[in-house]
Amino acid sequence: DGGITQSPKYLFRKEGQNVTLSCEQNLNHDAMYWYRQDPGQGLRLIYYSQIVNDFQKGDIAEGYSVSREKKESFPLTVTSAQKNPTAFYLCASSTGQGTGELFFGEGSRLTVL
Amino acid sequence: GNSVTQMEGPVTLSEEAFLTINCTYTATGYPSLFWYVQYPGEGLQLLLKATKADDKGSNKGFEATYRKETTSFHLEKGSVQVSDSAVYFCALTRQGNLIFGKGTKLSVKP
């Protein structure tokens, strides 16, 4: 079955540690996205990538980094510079930027202790 | 810039009640409009969309009409079920990306 796989589903980290969230898709989609979801805030765009080896900052990129070395993969690193990293992180993909039709993974919940 | 405002929840209804979730938008140009749904513990799924004024999107008994004159895209369903309990997000396109509203939680009681 085609889809998007995020891992881990739950992650705990200590303050000052970097953590990397995995996102893999087998939909052959060109565009991939990372969103952050906080209670009462909706979804906010962190980074997006339209093509391999290229990515752009979204609205809240500070304290995060990404890479897009393969079409299927778009990992997100939450660095120690992110001041409030505890959140639910959602990865998505689409056939191309601008369609608005995103396919989402099930999310990763990060808790900083 | 483009933005979306949704009615705040939570919304609690009895089974078979009529549902309306309000969504208004601010945009330059003519964005496409979307409703996404998030069931507990899951990611979001596209529920319906409309790409131009007066278009009506529909799916699974839900409907929404793109109203340019009132800049609205309200979600409606004539008879909700317990299985419709979820968080609903209105969204629009901005420079090729999606901008989401804050979400409205719907709880349907048997």
Side-chain angles (χ1 to χ4, degrees):
Chain A
D1 285 335
I4 297 183
T5 302
Q6 288 187 242
S7 63
K9 193 163 186 174
Y10 299 96
L11 185 61
F12 298 87
R13 88 157 204 217
K14 295 181 180 178
E15 279 192 27
Q17 289 181 335
N18 292 355
V19 62
T20 297
L21 306 179
S22 169
C23 177
E24 303 278 331
Q25 56 102 355
N26 60 4
L27 299 168
N28 199 33
H29 285 171
D30 288 315
M32 296 187 74
Y33 309 81
W34 274 104
Y35 285 89
R36 170 179 170 142
Q37 184 177 17
D38 296 285
Q41 297 257 7
L43 277 73
R44 292 179 289 170
L45 182 63
I46 305 173
Y47 268 98
Y48 62 97
S49 168
Q50 299 175 55
I51 196 169
V52 174
N53 292 323
D54 186 52
F55 49 82
Q56 308 295 329
K57 291 181 179 179
D59 298 317
I60 56 164
E62 185 175 350
Y64 300 97
S65 65
V66 294
S67 63
R68 186 85 187 275
E69 297 175 2
K70 298 187 301 182
K71 187 175 185 178
E72 302 80 20
S73 179
F74 191 41
L76 173 74
T77 296
V78 185
T79 75
S80 56
Q82 169 50 234
K83 290 183 172 48
N84 186 18
T86 295
F88 189 54
Y89 292 89
L90 286 162
C91 180
S93 70
S94 69
T95 54
Q97 195 191 19
T99 67
E101 296 188 37
L102 270 56
F103 292 78
F104 282 85
E106 294 193 342
S108 293
R109 185 167 297 281
L110 171 64
T111 302
V112 174
L113 304 172
Chain B
N2 291 12
S3 65
V4 174
T5 302
Q6 285 182 241
M7 64 184 284
E8 292 206 12
V11 174
T12 303
L13 296 173
S14 297
E15 209 164 19
E16 299 183 4
F18 185 86
L19 169 71
T20 300
I21 300 178
N22 290 339
C23 171
T24 58
Y25 67 90
T26 303
T28 53
Y30 302 97
S32 295
L33 300 174
F34 304 82
W35 278 100
Y36 277 80
V37 58
Q38 184 178 32
Y39 297 103
E42 298 183 9
L44 279 70
Q45 304 173 24
L46 177 63
L47 181 59
L48 54 83
K49 70 172 186 177
T51 57
K52 61 183 188 297
D54 299 325
D55 265 3
K56 178 187 281 188
S58 61
N59 187 24
K60 299 182 182 179
F62 291 89
E63 293 183 340
T65 301
Y66 191 144
R67 301 282 189 204
K68 182 165 165 283
E69 62 276 11
T70 54
T71 61
S72 65
F73 192 55
H74 303 323
L75 182 68
E76 296 182 335
K77 186 175 185 182
S79 176
V80 293
Q81 306 300 312
V82 172
S83 57
D84 293 326
S85 298
V87 181
Y88 292 82
F89 292 90
C90 186
L92 57 74
T93 48
R94 181 197 71 180
Q95 296 175 345
N97 293 316
L98 270 188
I99 302 301
F100 288 88
K102 293 186 177 182
T104 303
K105 184 175 182 179
L106 170 66
S107 295
V108 181
K109 308 296 184 187

